[in-house]
Amino acid sequence: GENVEQHPSTLSVQEGDSAVIKCTYSDSASNYFPWYKQELGKRPQLIIDIRSNVGEKKDQRIAVTLNKTAKHFSLHITETQPEDSAVYFCAASGTYKYIFGTGTRLKVLA
Amino acid sequence: EPEVTQTPSHQVTQMGQEVILRCVPISNHLYFYWYRQILGQKVEFLVSFYNNEISEKSEIFDDQFSVERPDGSNFTLKIRSTKLEDSAMYFCASTKNRQETQYFGPGTRLLVL
């Protein structure tokens, strides 16, 4: 069935370093890939998204890359700050629903 | 900026009881969704709803679940006879067009005892 794998499950980085989170999807019909940040007990908040007709998208310190052939997409956060600490979820969508990855708990150490 | 709202924020119920979770999507949105997140796990799709009917549902969304848009603003999820394993955070989401960004509500934390 449809599945999205996400790695790593936890990631600790020093403040100012970069963080990279990777996802792989199984459904070749997926064409929209959002990334959500979820702080403890809060709703998922969209931070960036990419569509299948684009290979890369950047928004200040956050960037996402997509390799459709390999069915991989990645989130890159540069110059990490303590407030970036949260759980990050990738998702893939081809129809109505989102299929979410299992989440990455990012901890930025001051 | 408009947001999706959900009530109640927390609900505690006894196993076998019916619960109704309520959502008010963003006003000009047309597609509505329910997801759930068991504590510490990923967000899972339950159902999508468009034009007053279910457009897609997951295996989780069995006969115990139903959705309704009873008026022009509310979107509800009903669980007819709750089970212990229904304990989770339930998120409503909405979007203006299919395959656009889904905006999530703050969630209802359901605890079934």
Side-chain angles (χ1 to χ4, degrees):
Chain A
E2 300 149 317
N3 190 41
V4 175
E5 291 188 2
Q6 184 172 344
H7 300 280
S9 56
T10 59
L11 178 60
S12 291
V13 298
Q14 290 293 328
E15 184 178 358
D17 287 351
S18 295
V20 180
I21 302 170
K22 298 182 179 183
C23 288
T24 305
Y25 61 98
S26 62
D27 185 0
S28 54
S30 297
N31 55 17
Y32 176 65
F33 307 92
W35 285 88
Y36 284 83
K37 176 182 180 183
Q38 187 179 31
E39 295 175 8
L40 191 63
K42 302 255 180 97
R43 75 183 84 192
Q45 298 264 25
L46 178 81
I47 54 170
I48 196 166
D49 56 6
I50 191 167
R51 297 192 182 273
S52 58
N53 58 349
V54 174
E56 186 172 354
K57 184 176 176 181
K58 192 171 179 182
D59 182 5
Q60 298 182 4
R61 296 187 296 109
I62 296 172
V64 57
T65 58
L66 172 64
N67 181 331
K68 272 191 69 178
T69 306
K71 295 184 192 168
H72 288 164
F73 57 115
S74 300
L75 177 73
H76 305 251
I77 306 174
T78 57
E79 300 170 30
T80 52
Q81 300 164 3
E83 50 266 37
D84 294 330
S85 296
V87 178
Y88 291 81
F89 289 98
C90 63
S93 175
T95 56
Y96 294 96
K97 65 190 178 202
Y98 286 0
I99 303 296
F100 280 88
T102 47
T104 296
R105 183 173 300 280
L106 174 65
K107 187 181 265 191
V108 180
L109 307 169
Chain B
E1 189 176 323
E3 286 190 329
V4 177
T5 59
Q6 288 183 244
T7 54
S9 58
H10 294 78
Q11 172 106 37
V12 181
T13 190
Q14 294 291 324
M15 191 169 58
Q17 294 296 304
E18 174 184 285
V19 294
I20 298 176
L21 310 183
R22 292 185 165 78
C23 168
V24 179
I26 294 173
S27 64
N28 61 348
H29 285 189
L30 301 174
Y31 295 81
F32 314 116
Y33 309 84
W34 283 101
Y35 291 84
R36 78 169 186 193
Q37 186 177 32
I38 294 170
L39 189 64
Q41 297 186 23
K42 69 176 179 179
V43 179
E44 299 174 289
F45 170 77
L46 293 178
V47 66
S48 60
F49 191 85
Y50 169 70
N51 201 25
N52 279 321
E53 60 183 28
I54 290 173
S55 43
E56 194 169 0
K57 61 182 181 179
S58 72
E59 300 156 353
I60 304 167
F61 194 88
D62 62 22
D63 292 345
Q64 292 301 311
F65 290 88
S66 62
V67 288
E68 195 177 34
R69 188 153 161 82
D71 53 46
S73 59
N74 289 286
F75 178 51
T76 62
L77 174 70
K78 183 193 288 186
I79 310 175
R80 259 179 276 281
S81 178
T82 49
K83 305 192 260 295
L84 296 176
E85 54 264 37
D86 293 327
S87 296
M89 180 76 98
Y90 287 80
F91 290 105
C92 171
S94 71
T95 186
K96 192 186 294 187
N97 296 307
R98 192 164 70 90
Q99 292 197 340
E100 285 194 1
T101 302
Q102 293 180 19
Y103 292 90
F104 283 76
T108 294
R109 186 170 294 285
L110 176 66
L111 179 61
V112 182
L113 301 176

